Amino acid sequence: MQFTDDGAGSPPARFYRATEGALPGALRLEIAPLGSLASSGPFPLRLMGLTADGPVVIYASSNLADWQAVFTNPPTIGPLQYLEDIPAVQPQRFYRAYETR
């Protein structure tokens, strides 16, 4: 497969992900509303689109290269909320989630 991004360079950093095969459903990881977000409090995430096919794992990274599992949950249907206490010294954090089978 060949992939070309005609907009490369604007914005200066882009990230891509490729998978092989069809995905049964799209998981969405979003920031969950939790009153006013304080910079020192927990960071609220909501995972939508779960089908209870397998355990849910949420990973976090500060550089998009090194990922660490920060949360594992048994198979779940419906939305799942996760609160992470993150250190104030971390300038950026990325998340991804999988429903394993």
Side-chain angles (χ1 to χ4, degrees):
M1 180 176 132
Q2 183 175 351
F3 172 77
T4 303
D5 181 1
D6 295 330
S10 177
R14 287 182 183 234
F15 304 98
Y16 303 95
R17 180 177 73 177
T19 61
E20 183 177 1
L23 298 175
L27 293 179
R28 284 191 336 265
L29 189 60
E30 56 190 38
I31 298 173
L34 186 68
S36 69
L37 292 175
S39 61
S40 61
F43 186 73
L45 295 172
R46 181 184 303 137
L47 186 57
M48 308 290 288
L50 297 170
T51 62
D53 284 340
V56 177
V57 182
I58 297 176
Y59 297 88
S61 172
S62 61
N63 60 11
L64 292 173
D66 303 309
W67 292 91
Q68 177 181 6
V70 294
F71 179 78
T72 302
N73 198 64
T76 302
I77 292 179
L80 175 72
Q81 183 156 326
Y82 169 70
L83 298 173
E84 183 179 30
D85 289 322
I86 52 176
V89 297
Q90 231 170 16
Q92 62 187 4
R93 192 133 163 111
F94 303 94
Y95 296 92
R96 67 182 183 189
Y98 291 103
E99 190 171 24
T100 60
R101 294 195 175 118

